[in-house]
Amino acid sequence: MRQYAQGAIADELIHASRVVGAGFFRHWWTVGLPVLRPGLAFLGIFTFFHIGNDYLWPLIVMVDPGKVTPQVAVQQLNGVYTTGRSMVIAGTLMSVIPLIGVFLIGSRHFIANLAAGAMKF
């Protein structure tokens, strides 16, 4: 994120906001945040995917079988001798739906802001 911020925020924008007399928070809100919005959208999507697909930590920490994450629950559907494939597929679909929703919402903002930043006047 630091590398993206260094490349995305031009020095001219920083100097122009200082000349106008904007303070730090005003500078951040009006100059920094709009320019960094595509990077923040990508970071949010990537972090949500990483946390949403986490398997090992919830397996270790969650001791109540009724309060496990969807990934752990799908793994517990696999039996030793048999596997209910329809239940595994339904559980996988239920665990993927929130990830797809976040991706569609976040990618819309990511692509729109990326395209808006590419326009030259």
Side-chain angles (χ1 to χ4, degrees):
M1 196 62 202
R2 178 184 177 274
Q3 294 296 323
Y4 180 75
Q6 281 183 338
I9 300 175
D11 290 335
E12 291 83 13
L13 290 173
I14 296 171
H15 294 305
S17 68
R18 286 184 185 153
V19 167
V20 172
F24 176 76
F25 291 109
R26 179 80 172 166
H27 169 72
W28 169 251
W29 189 256
T30 58
V31 176
L33 195 59
V35 173
L36 295 178
R37 193 170 289 152
L40 292 172
F42 173 77
L43 183 65
I45 293 169
F46 187 74
T47 303
F48 187 81
F49 276 15
H50 178 70
I51 292 171
N53 287 326
D54 197 10
Y55 173 74
L56 186 60
W57 181 247
L59 181 66
I60 294 170
V61 175
M62 299 289 191
V63 292
D64 186 12
K67 296 181 180 178
V68 294
T69 61
Q71 286 74 18
V72 175
V74 167
Q75 174 58 32
Q76 291 174 352
L77 290 174
N78 291 327
V80 177
Y81 299 109
T82 61
T83 300
R85 298 206 188 276
S86 61
M87 292 296 289
V88 171
I89 291 171
T92 303
L93 180 66
M94 294 299 288
S95 68
V96 168
I97 287 175
L99 298 175
I100 292 172
V102 167
F103 176 75
L104 291 176
I105 292 169
S107 66
R108 180 177 53 123
H109 293 293
F110 175 69
I111 292 170
N113 289 327
L114 196 62
M119 284 190 211
K120 292 190 178 189
F121 295 99

